[in-house]
Amino acid sequence: MKNINPTKTISWKYLENHLQEMKKTTINDLFKIDKNRFENFSINFENKILFDYSKNFINKTTIHYLINLAKETKCIDAINSMFYGKKINITEQKSVLHTALRYNHNYFLKNKKIYNNIDKILKKIENISNNIISGTWKGYTNKKIKNIINIGIGGSHLGPLMVTESLQEYKNKLNLFFLSNIDSNKLIKIINKIKPEESLFIIASKTFSTQETMTNALSIKKWFIKNININLNKDIFSKHFIAVTNNINSAIDFGINKNNILPLLSEIGGRFSLWSSIGLSISLSIGFNNFKKLLQGANKMDYHFFSTPINRNIPIIMALISIWYNNFWNTETEAIIPYCDNMRFLPSYLQQLNMESNGKSIDRNGNKIKYQTSPIIWGDVGTNGQHSFFQMLHQGTKLIPCDFIASAISNSKKYTNHHIKLIANYIAQTKALAFGNINSFSCKKNLYQCCFGNKPSNSIFLKKITPYNLGLLISYYEHKIFIQGVILNIFSFDQWGVELGKEIANYLYKDLNKNSQNINQYDYSSQGLINFYKHFH
Ligand code: F6P
């Protein structure tokens, strides 16, 4: 990858000048001038997802300069480097291989060993899923497994949670629980609902050392031993505990049977890992065939991203529009608003994907960055959001680009009138945001009722939320975020910032555990908080 400061490119300068022009116009004007605006600024991907980016502060000139920015910052080189397995995660000296995990994919990376590995892991996921779902896999009392408990956090949690919730209608009879937070209230809630003899615990941790996951896993292990009424032996344990990890030795030390360990390649970043063995809980919940379709969808978007020229390349175009707002219009945030209740975890999932990847301030040359990097990602489901934060979107002072996501066909066959109303609201909001009501009677009569419009948004319209289409959507966001990182000249695949918080939590934990009241090596604020805690213990 080339390390180019984007602000020093010619296109950046052009975009800065162009911004002044665009500030004089309105989205309404842009639509008046160009009758084919929708055709010019939307891409229908195989009739499976429609990307409408016409309600933005862009015209053909904007797109022209943005495409030049992608060219000047060598985005195509970067894409090739990732797909061909070059070590683009420089700070950790690793390749970035999540695209190699997508099913039937051997036309990119030429590395047989890695594909054999991936195939073996997939076979294991398939076997475990089939055995558990069919009931062939029995617990230690010979009962079928009813409950799956995924113990993991961050990338070892958010992807499987978001996918399985989004694909509710594909779920089988297994009860799926996610234990991520170290707060024991969550653990208690789960163990109150399950019996050990009917439960399978997946300890999902790439490092097998994350404090939250290991604390939860140990407590679950103790609870399991206490509640099985016979002495634990290896055979019993292996009927109920599985590990997904890159740290095989620690999993063995924990007591996991070697055959129950699903390896996770070190080249798969946590937030990109739902396609890997971390996806075991997905496969268990919706079946291996559906998991495979998810991978195939992602693979299809990979292929589009890899082979389509920049002017029709969806992830690149959308990344450029995001940079246009973040770095030129100085918008601080981006809202993700799914008009689909089952997709309510998409904003949290994209928070990690975007902010952990691109929340950086040192560039690839080792210089302190003087421009903006990751936007703040936030959001909630529509229509709920309409009755809370939308007021600010419509009439507030901040400019907040939004992604509106919906599906044309509902997954629910009942109460069909709800879906039509949902979609009416979905389209209505983007229209109200873009065009406002300045010519309306209510606005002319009362200034407080005026919505001035001019608020940008993208509409991402899926045909239906199927495993394949969800694979397309997630892969699209992964690549969009990757391109933003490439252009912003940062390393998107590490997360060193998170480490400091972990380190301090570890030694603070030791201090909080000490009997002594005299802990005083901290700053005055932290010391005050420690004293308050100690007062009660
Ligand atoms: O929060 C930081 C992080 O390292 C994430 O990147 C990762 O997804 C999460 O912790 C969990 O890590 P692990 O899978 O190693 O437990």
Side-chain angles (χ1 to χ4, degrees):
M1 286 211 295
K2 301 276 186 313
N3 305 339
I4 297 160
N5 180 339
T7 63
K8 301 278 184 258
T9 58
I10 300 166
S11 20
W12 194 277
K13 302 279 173 269
Y14 276 117
L15 283 162
E16 276 173 342
N17 291 334
H18 177 63
L19 174 70
Q20 303 316 320
E21 283 303 305
M22 291 306 278
K23 279 191 170 167
K24 290 181 205 148
T25 180
T26 64
I27 295 179
N28 200 9
D29 289 341
L30 293 169
F31 272 87
K32 274 189 195 149
I33 297 165
D34 181 1
K35 296 282 172 244
N36 295 324
R37 193 167 164 83
F38 173 74
E39 286 71 28
N40 288 336
F41 300 107
S42 69
I43 300 176
N44 181 340
F45 189 79
E46 297 189 338
N47 240 357
K48 296 218 161 44
I49 311 188
L50 170 67
F51 292 84
D52 173 15
Y53 52 97
S54 60
K55 290 184 182 113
N56 279 300
F57 287 112
I58 53 166
N59 59 20
K60 285 189 179 164
T61 311
T62 327
I63 294 293
H64 173 75
Y65 292 146
L66 286 170
I67 287 175
N68 281 350
L69 177 65
K71 286 182 185 162
E72 277 192 85
T73 50
K74 307 286 175 217
C75 283
I76 301 297
D77 282 1
I79 296 172
N80 289 339
S81 299
M82 176 167 77
F83 279 90
Y84 291 139
K86 297 234 170 86
K87 291 192 175 169
I88 59 168
N89 179 359
I90 304 273
T91 60
E92 296 176 332
Q93 270 305 300
K94 284 179 192 168
S95 312
V96 171
L97 295 185
H98 54 279
T99 55
L101 296 166
R102 336 281 207 192
Y103 203 68
N104 194 10
H105 182 69
N106 14 11
Y107 41 82
F108 298 127
L109 187 71
K110 303 278 173 259
N111 188 326
K112 260 204 159 158
K113 206 171 142 205
I114 288 197
Y115 280 116
N116 286 343
N117 238 326
I118 291 171
D119 282 349
K120 259 197 224 157
I121 298 169
L122 267 180
K123 196 78 212 144
K124 216 160 176 172
I125 296 177
E126 182 176 12
N127 288 341
I128 295 174
S129 305
N130 289 346
N131 290 341
I132 296 277
I133 296 167
S134 66
T136 324
W137 179 308
K138 300 268 190 327
Y140 77 96
T141 60
N142 221 23
K143 281 191 179 163
K144 289 179 187 170
I145 298 295
K146 269 191 186 165
N147 309 306
I148 308 294
I149 301 93
N150 188 82
I151 309 171
I153 197 163
S156 305
H157 161 237
L158 285 167
L161 173 74
M162 184 274 287
V163 168
T164 50
E165 284 299 309
S166 298
L167 298 174
Q168 281 279 347
E169 287 75 18
Y170 294 81
K171 273 189 177 177
N172 52 34
K173 57 189 183 310
L174 294 170
N175 303 313
L176 182 60
F177 299 90
F178 286 94
L179 179 53
S180 56
N181 202 323
I182 203 166
D183 185 338
S184 59
N185 284 301
K186 183 73 188 182
L187 171 87
I188 293 163
K189 253 190 217 162
I190 294 177
I191 54 181
N192 281 342
K193 287 186 188 149
I194 59 172
K195 290 183 183 150
E197 66 268 27
E198 296 170 339
S199 302
L200 179 78
F201 301 94
I202 303 170
I203 307 170
S205 175
K206 182 173 170 181
T207 55
F208 223 79
S209 64
T210 304
Q211 190 194 51
E212 293 91 331
T213 302
M214 295 329 294
T215 307
N216 278 327
L218 271 172
S219 298
I220 284 283
K221 184 178 174 184
K222 278 188 199 150
W223 169 84
F224 182 84
I225 294 170
K226 201 170 152 206
N227 287 278
I228 56 171
N229 300 327
I230 49 168
N231 286 337
L232 183 75
N233 61 38
K234 277 189 178 163
D235 188 43
I236 295 176
F237 202 62
S238 64
K239 288 184 160 77
H240 296 275
F241 281 80
I242 286 182
V244 175
T245 188
N246 182 246
N247 183 350
I248 311 286
N249 290 339
S250 292
I252 293 173
D253 290 347
F254 186 89
I256 308 281
N257 182 324
K258 243 187 164 174
N259 291 329
N260 281 9
I261 300 175
L262 278 75
L264 175 56
L265 305 180
S266 80
E267 293 87 351
I268 308 299
R271 52 194 173 275
F272 300 88
S273 66
L274 72 90
W275 324 98
S276 70
S277 43
I278 290 289
L280 175 64
S281 53
I282 302 176
S283 174
L284 281 163
S285 179
I286 61 172
F288 184 74
N289 277 342
N290 283 323
F291 181 60
K292 220 164 73 176
K293 285 182 192 152
L294 183 81
L295 301 186
Q296 284 165 343
N299 176 242
K300 191 76 193 180
M301 185 55 78
D302 291 344
Y303 192 70
H304 164 84
F305 180 54
F306 181 74
S307 56
T308 310
I310 299 180
N311 64 340
R312 297 299 291 165
N313 192 310
I314 302 165
I316 301 184
I317 296 284
M318 300 304 249
L320 289 167
I321 292 174
S322 185
I323 286 185
W324 177 228
Y325 288 121
N326 186 45
N327 297 86
F328 295 88
W329 290 78
N330 293 327
T331 56
E332 290 281 311
T333 81
E334 269 174 32
I336 307 289
I337 309 167
Y339 274 68
C340 167
D341 211 71
N342 290 344
M343 286 182 123
R344 66 194 172 282
F345 292 109
L346 187 67
S348 324
Y349 171 76
L350 291 178
Q351 261 173 355
Q352 189 202 12
L353 197 63
N354 206 327
M355 293 161 81
E356 201 167 69
S357 298
N358 291 341
K360 312 286 165 62
S361 54
I362 302 292
D363 73 12
R364 292 201 294 266
N365 296 308
N367 299 319
K368 190 109 186 46
I369 289 176
K370 296 197 183 90
Y371 47 85
Q372 290 294 320
T373 57
S374 168
I376 300 161
I377 303 295
W378 62 285
D380 197 0
V381 284
T383 58
N384 294 7
Q386 285 173 219
H387 301 276
S388 63
F389 58 85
F390 267 58
Q391 167 58 33
M392 181 196 155
L393 297 184
H394 287 295
Q395 286 191 310
T397 49
K398 294 192 185 344
L399 189 67
I400 300 177
C402 304
D403 277 3
F404 283 83
I405 301 149
S407 70
I409 303 172
S410 169
N411 281 13
S412 146
K413 291 191 183 66
K414 293 178 189 159
Y415 306 108
T416 45
N417 62 328
H418 285 235
H419 195 66
I420 305 174
K421 288 180 184 171
L422 185 70
I423 298 308
N425 274 282
Y426 162 70
I427 300 172
Q429 301 316 304
T430 66
K431 181 169 162 50
L433 286 168
F435 305 108
N437 67 350
I438 32 173
N439 294 321
S440 71
F441 178 67
S442 50
C443 177
K444 285 184 180 137
K445 204 179 79 185
N446 183 348
L447 186 64
Y448 292 104
Q449 290 181 11
C450 275
C451 289
F452 296 101
N454 240 356
K455 314 275 187 178
S457 68
N458 297 310
S459 300
I460 301 176
F461 213 172
L462 285 83
K463 176 183 172 192
K464 197 177 173 201
I465 300 163
T466 61
Y468 184 91
N469 293 349
L470 187 64
L472 287 173
L473 181 75
I474 305 169
S475 168
Y476 148 72
Y477 270 114
E478 284 180 347
H479 296 323
K480 175 190 169 195
I481 290 162
F482 169 63
I483 287 297
Q484 285 172 272
V486 171
I487 295 174
L488 295 171
N489 196 25
I490 51 182
F491 290 120
S492 297
F493 295 102
D494 58 25
Q495 59 285 318
W496 298 103
V498 188
E499 297 308 315
L500 178 64
K502 286 186 191 171
E503 196 187 302
I504 299 176
N506 277 333
Y507 67 72
L508 231 154
Y509 163 69
K510 285 184 195 135
D511 279 348
L512 287 177
N513 247 330
K514 280 181 193 157
N515 278 330
S516 147
Q517 294 290 326
N518 300 329
I519 300 163
N520 47 24
Q521 83 245 26
Y522 292 91
D523 62 274
Y524 293 134
S525 162
S526 307
Q527 188 63 52
L529 298 169
I530 292 168
N531 294 347
F532 187 78
Y533 175 84
K534 283 276 180 191
H535 179 74
F536 302 105
H537 294 89

